[in-house]
Amino acid sequence: MRSLAFSLLSLATAARAATVTYNFTATWVWAAPDGVGRPLVGINGQWPCPTIEANVGDTVVVHLSNELGNQTTGLHWHGINQVSTEDMDGPSGVTQCPVPPGSFIKYEFVVDVAGTYWYHSHNMGQYPDGLRGPFIVHDPDDPNKSKYDEEVILTVSDWYRNQSLDLVRQMLVPANTRFQPPIPDTILVNEGQGANINFVKGKKYRIRLINFAALAGAFLHFDSHTMKVIMNDAALIKEQEAYQLRVAPAQRYDFIIEAIDRDSGNYPFLVSLDVNRDFQNPALGALRFPYNFTGYLVMDNTQPLDKVDVVDVWNPVDDAHFQAYDGAAPYADYNKLIKLDFQFCFDANGYPRACFNNVTYIGQAVPTLYTAATTGDDNSNPLIYGQVNPFIVEDGDVVQIVVNNLDEAAHPFHLHGHHFQVLDRPGPTAGSWPERDVNYASEPPRRDTVVVNGQSYAVLRFKADNPGVFLFHCHIEWHVEMGLTVTIIEAPSKLKGLVFPDDHLDNCRIQKIPYQGNAAGNTQNYTDTTGFVTVPPTIYNG
Ligand SMILES: *[C@@H]1O[C@H](CO)[C@@H](O)[C@H](O)[C@H]1NC(C)=O
Ligand SMILES: *[C@@H]1O[C@H](CO)[C@@H](O)[C@H](O)[C@H]1NC(C)=O
Ligand SMILES: *[C@@H]1O[C@H](CO)[C@@H](O)[C@H](O)[C@H]1NC(C)=O
Ligand SMILES: *[C@@H]1O[C@H](CO)[C@@H](O)[C@H](O)[C@H]1NC(C)=O
Ligand SMILES: *[C@@H]1O[C@H](CO)[C@@H](O)[C@H](O)[C@H]1NC(C)=O
Ligand SMILES: *[C@@H]1O[C@H](CO)[C@@H](O)[C@H](O)[C@H]1NC(C)=O
Ligand SMILES: *[C@@H]1O[C@H](CO)[C@@H](O)[C@H](O)[C@H]1NC(C)=O
Ligand SMILES: [Cu+2]
């Protein structure tokens, strides 16, 4: 009976699966999301960028043309694990060459898990210039469907009036000895500064909350309404009530709120940008919430929108204590430990950088996936990839990543290609991992981005069942540009000889970027490191 039910189910799913195609042309557009005009990267002449929507099981095709004229581009599908389509993940220098002006690239992949995602440029610090949008994968058989009537997307972000390239160039100078990132100019909600939600008394709403920020986390609170959280980062959790949420850059929460039916008042909600180094650590001084936004749940638009939502102390729910909906235990018997000590550092020219284990990520000539595919058995030798902080994991390994955050600030770390389990994530100043596997969550939440508190650590696990080359990095965009990235070379034995689409390789050919051999494009002697980039360029060009 059981197997019959399963095969009927998969037949039904297969019958529904469709191909959803989007044609995107990236151009500069002029817009004023906070009232101050500036050039932004938009799509098809519009900004905000469109929402991608599909049903689970569908194939999504995006034709991306670069008409920016003066910058390369590319897109990453944040949270989509790219099972069997590792070459569609999108980061430049990792799974593809950047798309030069006048060229295009086709992305094609199956959306295998329903939930709330987003897409963004993963090229030269470009998404804070606007190239980002929501990506929703619907599930017609959503187990929570009876719990809500309507869906609403709510995006939050910090916002800069200067262009990213200028901000990064100003940050990466020897005088920046305190590793200061650019500080935002304001806050955006739904890419603007008006985001009221029309509510009907008694109805239930599923809110899909996404943080698009380059730097700041955001707090959220609704007056008189509690949030019932059902998903984190597109992974189902056991329903969890929350009065306040903190959503870090790149994270998502799906939650349900019910419009109260005792009256038809308009209820405010507060979004507060968090530029604290670590809001939980009082030793770091006064809490800083420089930009607030008040929106309304509008039940009666003849009534005034004048109430304010006052929050005295931000004390958000602890997402490390969420529980996976299926109650799955931690993967047992990990056989690969990747221990990463993060601290800021300086390069040989005295430029501020960010380091894992005292090594900063430096992009190489050949995209790392292309090296893995074209170097035969040598592809399991980390030496051939250059200073991209390569870690080899074999097919089927159970991998434990430990991040020791030696910095005082909290940082959100993101893994491509997997939803990891969060086994432990203590509060600030807990110090480094005690090197013992104790006190772990018994039903750990799975997600793709986790906040690691200041002077503290996190323990994450995943199973290496998705061959590819996947980044693990801080999702503060400015820290990516400082080199806070490692590269996981997953199942190299299955990457040997992979063939890539011509339109992807054409983008390398046009720019004379090598796409075979070791990090420097040596196709004769893979262990010859001549030509590897060992010091970051002093002039930042993305
Ligand atoms: C996308 O563009 C191609 C050719 O440029 C065209 O054939 C196709 O109909 C377009 N698809 C959509 C969904 O606009
Ligand atoms: C690229 O073009 C945009 C739009 O014209 C302009 O605002 C920006 O300064 C240019 N960037 C560079 C690096 O030339
Ligand atoms: C940001 O823009 C302002 C106004 O145009 C300019 O004065 C300032 O130098 C810019 N900052 C950077 C880092 O380019
Ligand atoms: C923003 O809201 C928070 C919480 O209510 C408050 O502590 C902070 O002072 C506010 N910031 C500003 C600039 O009003
Ligand atoms: C949503 O569905 C999951 C999986 O069936 C379940 O564990 C969770 O409790 C549901 N949440 C709500 C609010 O019903
Ligand atoms: C990193 O460098 C610091 C200071 O130079 C040193 O104390 C530490 O042992 C180094 N860590 C590793 C993992 O090499
Ligand atoms: C490959 O390069 C390495 C490093 O330069 C060198 O030691 C080795 O002899 C070379 N192998 C061959 C076959 O030339
Ligand atoms: Cu960071």
Side-chain angles (χ1 to χ4, degrees), residues 61-97:
V61 177
V62 179
H63 297 269
L64 174 68
S65 298
N66 179 1
E67 297 297 333
L68 292 169
N70 65 2
Q71 280 186 13
T72 58
T73 194
L75 288 175
H76 166 60
W77 323 97
H78 186 112
I80 308 269
N81 289 331
Q82 302 294 352
V83 177
S84 316
T85 47
E86 60 286 275
D87 53 345
M88 298 293 160
D89 195 39
S92 291
V94 183
T95 63
Q96 64 172 76
C97 288

Side-chain angles (χ1 to χ4, degrees), residues 430-445:
S432 290
W433 180 56
E435 315 261 341
R436 286 190 311 274
D437 294 302
V438 291
N439 299 328
Y440 291 163
S442 55
E443 300 178 6

Side-chain angles (χ1 to χ4, degrees), residues 330-386:
Y331 295 115
D333 304 326
Y334 69 89
N335 58 331
K336 175 86 189 175
L337 176 64
I338 299 180
K339 212 161 61 114
L340 303 172
D341 288 358
F342 152 52
Q343 64 191 133
F344 289 106
C345 54
F346 293 97
D347 68 21
N349 292 308
Y351 282 59
R353 304 289 298 177
C355 278
F356 278 123
N357 302 342
N358 286 345
V359 184
T360 192
Y361 176 98
I362 308 175
Q364 303 295 315
V366 179
T368 311
L369 177 63
Y370 296 170
T371 291
T374 59
T375 49
D377 288 337
D378 280 0
N379 77 352
S380 58
N381 180 357
L383 176 87
I384 69 165
Y385 296 99

Side-chain angles (χ1 to χ4, degrees), residues 161-163 166-167 170:
R161 295 187 185 128
N162 291 82
Q163 290 182 32
D166 297 326
L167 294 172
Q170 191 195 44

Side-chain angles (χ1 to χ4, degrees), residues 476-488:
I476 290 178
E477 187 59 16
W478 315 123
H479 296 162
V480 171
E481 303 312 322
M482 282 190 179
L484 194 44
T485 297
V486 302
T487 307
I488 312 281

Side-chain angles (χ1 to χ4, degrees), residues 253-364:
Y253 288 107
D254 288 41
F255 57 86
I256 291 163
I257 47 179
E258 185 171 354
I260 55 177
D261 55 12
R262 67 170 177 264
D263 62 26
S264 298
N266 296 329
Y267 286 86
F269 62 91
L270 177 64
V271 187
S272 198
L273 213 61
D274 175 17
V275 302
N276 285 282
R277 285 180 293 161
D278 191 329
F279 78 97
Q280 295 181 89
N281 185 351
L284 291 178
L287 301 184
R288 287 188 57 213
F289 305 104
Y291 306 116
N292 289 332
F293 170 91
T294 302
Y296 292 89
L297 304 175
V298 180
M299 302 202 206
D300 179 352
N301 56 24
T302 66
Q303 301 287 318
L305 301 177
D306 53 6
K307 275 211 273 181
V308 290
D309 186 26
V310 179
V311 172
D312 293 328
V313 179
W314 286 112
N315 183 21
V317 64
D318 183 354
D319 58 287
H321 291 150
F322 289 175
Q323 291 171 305
Y325 78 97
D326 58 4
Y331 295 115
D333 304 326
Y334 69 89
N335 58 331
K336 175 86 189 175
L337 176 64
I338 299 180
K339 212 161 61 114
L340 303 172
D341 288 358
F342 152 52
Q343 64 191 133
F344 289 106
C345 54
F346 293 97
D347 68 21
N349 292 308
Y351 282 59
R353 304 289 298 177
C355 278
F356 278 123
N357 302 342
N358 286 345
V359 184
T360 192
Y361 176 98
I362 308 175
Q364 303 295 315

